[in-house]
Amino acid sequence: MATAEATTPKDHMIRTIQDLPDDSSYEEILREMAFARMIERGLADSEADRTIGHEEMGQRIASWVK
């Protein structure tokens, strides 16, 4: 996965692609790019205190099955 050295989105994407094996398919590259973006968004949400606890998530899931 990409390192923290990337300073722009383009730098981050280049680093992420360079870290993949040379024989990676387009699908694997796109999956890795999407995964890296999800991680970035999750970390940003965590830093901005936009998360919920395990217990609250369990309650939300339980309410879906009712």
Side-chain angles (χ1 to χ4, degrees), residues 51-65:
T51 60
I52 61 171
H54 178 75
E55 186 174 311
E56 183 178 339
M57 190 67 227
Q59 291 171 352
R60 287 184 184 189
I61 291 171
S63 75
W64 299 341
V65 225

Side-chain angles (χ1 to χ4, degrees), residues 22-34:
D22 289 340
D23 63 346
S24 296
S25 69
Y26 286 112
E27 290 79 16
E28 291 167 329
I29 293 168
L30 291 173
R31 256 193 315 270
E32 187 64 26
M33 297 305 300

Side-chain angles (χ1 to χ4, degrees), residues 8-64:
T8 67
K10 182 178 176 179
D11 291 335
H12 185 84
M13 292 177 77
I14 290 169
R15 174 68 69 180
T16 299
I17 292 169
Q18 287 175 335
D19 288 347
L20 292 171
D22 289 340
D23 63 346
S24 296
S25 69
Y26 286 112
E27 290 79 16
E28 291 167 329
I29 293 168
L30 291 173
R31 256 193 315 270
E32 187 64 26
M33 297 305 300
F35 181 71
R37 183 63 183 133
M38 286 188 282
I39 296 293
E40 289 174 0
R41 290 175 68 189
L43 290 172
D45 284 345
S46 179
E47 290 172 7
D49 202 28
R50 292 186 301 254
T51 60
I52 61 171
H54 178 75
E55 186 174 311
E56 183 178 339
M57 190 67 227
Q59 291 171 352
R60 287 184 184 189
I61 291 171
S63 75
W64 299 341

